[in-house]
Amino acid sequence: MKKVIITIDGPAASGKEKIAKFISRKWRLNHLDSGILYRRIALILFSNKVNFSNIDQIKKKLKEIKEISFRNSKKIRTQKISKLSSKIAVHNFVRVFVNKLQYDFVNKNKNLKGFVIDGRDIGSVVFKKADLKLYIEVNPEIRAKRRYKQLIDSGEKSIYAQILRDIKLRDKQDKLRKHSPLLVPVGAHIINNNNTFAKTIKQIKVLIDKI
């Protein structure tokens, strides 16, 4: 396979990260999760007691950030940080900041075989010329059940009904936000992830083999 960029877009809790990690291992591509960056920023703001309703405070703190880890951790996977990350994601200056981090990461690592990048505007805004664009589609109820299990397994108390409400609200916010709304990128292949992971990967393998 030639050096490629594969983008994976989709709503919250659609399984983008799990799919991206599999593709990363299977085809030896470097995985970049944009959601981690938003969560990292949210955690930094929260830890520094920044007022999430004060744009000037958020901008000031962003200017102070010199480096952000691309690694996942339990600290950024809580419901609290998830809600806060969605709150800052509506601001265009935050999205520009995160997008630059992603551009720089890809440009500075040109020696790598390729990249698989997941998020909510990766194929539509960040990497429009990707070699393969995927859009993951899953019913809200299934996403809520999967997120509920994920949180319970990690030891965090959670309520399914609340998670479902949060997911539906997040979908609405993502689709209606002014900057970089959630949508199916031009040229993207819609992947049904309502069933087993094996069936999902089978759909994707056919497309990757054609690159």
Side-chain angles (χ1 to χ4, degrees):
M1 183 193 294
K2 64 176 183 177
K3 185 174 182 178
V4 299
I5 290 181
I6 297 175
T7 60
I8 303 178
D9 288 279
S14 57
K16 300 184 297 295
E17 181 187 10
K18 183 178 181 180
I19 292 169
K21 283 184 175 180
F22 179 87
I23 292 175
S24 174
R25 292 192 301 269
K26 175 72 174 177
W27 284 277
R28 296 180 182 178
L29 302 178
N30 195 281
H31 175 216
L32 177 56
D33 180 353
S34 67
I36 286 178
L37 301 177
Y38 286 102
R39 287 170 179 267
R40 285 281 180 192
I41 293 172
L43 180 60
I44 290 172
L45 297 176
F46 179 70
S47 300
N48 286 274
K49 297 181 171 57
V50 171
N51 183 346
F52 280 74
S53 298
N54 190 315
I55 291 178
D56 289 335
Q57 285 188 26
I58 297 174
K59 285 183 176 179
K60 182 180 178 182
K61 180 51 65 175
L62 278 185
K63 289 180 180 179
E64 295 174 2
I65 297 175
K66 302 301 181 184
E67 187 177 4
I68 290 184
S69 172
F70 284 73
R71 293 191 177 189
N72 204 350
S73 74
K74 287 186 177 181
K75 287 183 178 180
I76 64 172
R77 285 298 172 183
T78 65
Q79 278 294 87
K80 176 71 175 179
I81 295 302
S82 179
K83 289 181 179 180
L84 292 177
S85 65
S86 67
K87 196 167 184 178
I88 62 172
V90 301
H91 300 306
N92 190 49
F93 66 89
V94 175
R95 305 196 73 82
V96 169
F97 181 85
V98 171
N99 289 350
K100 186 178 185 305
L101 290 174
Q102 296 177 93
Y103 291 138
D104 290 346
F105 181 86
V106 170
N107 289 331
K108 290 177 181 178
N109 292 279
K110 292 181 178 180
N111 59 316
L112 297 176
K113 184 178 179 181
F115 304 86
V116 53
I117 309 164
D118 64 277
R120 291 182 183 83
D121 65 346
I122 304 303
S124 60
V125 176
V126 189
F127 294 100
K128 292 182 178 180
K129 296 182 179 180
D131 298 276
L132 176 63
K133 299 179 183 181
L134 306 176
Y135 184 87
I136 312 303
E137 205 167 61
V138 191
N139 294 335
E141 292 76 14
I142 293 177
R143 284 187 276 146
K145 288 178 181 177
R146 291 173 179 172
R147 175 60 65 82
Y148 173 78
K149 184 179 184 304
Q150 182 184 50
L151 291 171
I152 292 299
D153 289 346
S154 67
E156 184 176 353
K157 293 182 179 179
S158 191
I159 300 174
Y160 167 77
Q162 182 60 51
I163 293 175
L164 180 58
R165 284 194 293 270
D166 288 344
I167 281 178
K168 288 183 176 180
L169 176 60
R170 182 66 182 270
D171 285 351
K172 184 177 180 180
Q173 292 174 335
D174 285 343
K175 290 176 181 178
L176 296 179
R177 70 178 174 233
K178 183 178 180 180
H179 305 289
S180 304
L182 173 67
L183 48 78
V184 179
V186 175
H189 298 269
I190 297 178
I191 304 297
N192 185 321
N193 191 29
N194 285 310
N195 300 303
T196 65
F197 188 68
K199 288 183 178 180
T200 297
I201 294 303
K202 186 176 181 180
Q203 299 172 67
I204 295 172
K205 185 179 184 302
V206 173
L207 297 172
I208 293 180
D209 286 344
K210 291 179 181 181
I211 296 176

